[in-house]
Amino acid sequence: MPKIPKYCIDTSSYITAWCHHYSPAIFESLWKKVGEALNQGIIISPREVLDELERGSDELLKWAKLHKAAFIELEEKPQKILSEIMKSHPKIIDLSIPEIQADPYVIALAKHTDTIIVTEEKSAVDSKKKLKIPDVAKNYKVNCVPFSKLIEMEGWKF
């Protein structure tokens, strides 16, 4: 039986962890644990995160597709939260980018499921261009942590 989700992971954390900090060639056991957590429903992400990963078309995408069930479509209630986010924080997306951007979906899903957002984005309150996940999530009382903190919070040892 799946557990209640605890974390909602943003695209930035998957990419940064996989490509820059925790290469699966070296940290194979870490990615096995992340995969297990995805399969158990402890870690979730909105479908739009998988869409963003598809733009890379690499080994990370192949791995993510093995856990496709953890990338979920937003239902009615989180869709309402998403609409509210877009209305009150339109700078959460960069209008110069034509593709769907996952950030508001991550926040909406995390708020709806009462989970912690895992993101590598840092606060940029004064940004003229685009708001960052931590800045908007704060307004919805959703906590954000980096991927390394997820490992620590789960007590994973290697």
Side-chain angles (χ1 to χ4, degrees):
M1 178 161 102
K3 293 183 181 179
I4 296 171
K6 291 166 61 173
Y7 308 98
C8 184
I9 300 189
D10 176 42
T11 313
S12 68
S13 283
Y14 283 116
I15 293 171
T16 302
W18 185 277
C19 299
H20 303 290
H21 298 298
Y22 306 104
S23 165
I26 300 167
F27 295 95
E28 183 179 345
S29 59
L30 167 65
W31 291 102
K32 184 176 184 200
K33 284 191 179 288
V34 174
E36 288 169 359
L38 285 162
N39 293 341
Q40 294 169 358
I42 296 167
I43 295 173
I44 58 173
S45 290
R47 166 74 181 141
E48 290 72 15
V49 166
L50 188 59
D51 293 344
E52 286 186 339
L53 291 175
E54 284 177 351
R55 294 181 205 147
S57 182
D58 56 9
E59 293 304 310
L60 172 56
L61 175 61
K62 289 178 191 169
W63 176 86
K65 283 185 172 181
L66 295 174
H67 310 285
K68 202 171 185 174
F71 296 88
I72 56 182
E73 297 285 340
L74 265 57
E75 295 173 0
E76 186 179 343
K77 282 187 179 178
Q79 280 284 353
K80 286 180 180 175
I81 298 168
L82 175 68
S83 294
E84 183 184 315
I85 290 167
M86 295 303 297
K87 208 175 286 181
S88 60
H89 299 86
K91 286 175 56 178
I92 187 65
I93 61 167
D94 182 344
L95 295 174
S96 69
I97 299 173
E99 296 91 4
I100 294 255
Q101 295 164 55
D103 292 3
Y105 294 84
V106 170
I107 299 164
L109 183 60
K111 174 67 179 171
H112 175 69
T113 56
D114 194 26
T115 54
I116 296 167
I117 294 175
V118 179
T119 184
E120 303 313 298
E121 290 188 9
K122 305 280 187 258
S123 177
V125 186
D126 298 326
S127 174
K128 302 280 186 256
K129 190 174 183 183
K130 181 183 176 292
L131 290 171
K132 298 295 184 181
I133 288 176
D135 300 321
V136 177
K138 185 181 196 178
N139 293 326
Y140 291 88
K141 297 178 175 50
V142 177
N143 291 326
C144 295
V145 299
F147 191 85
S148 59
K149 188 72 174 170
L150 176 153
I151 296 168
E152 181 184 324
M153 291 168 72
E154 285 301 300
W156 293 342
K157 306 275 186 219
F158 304 99

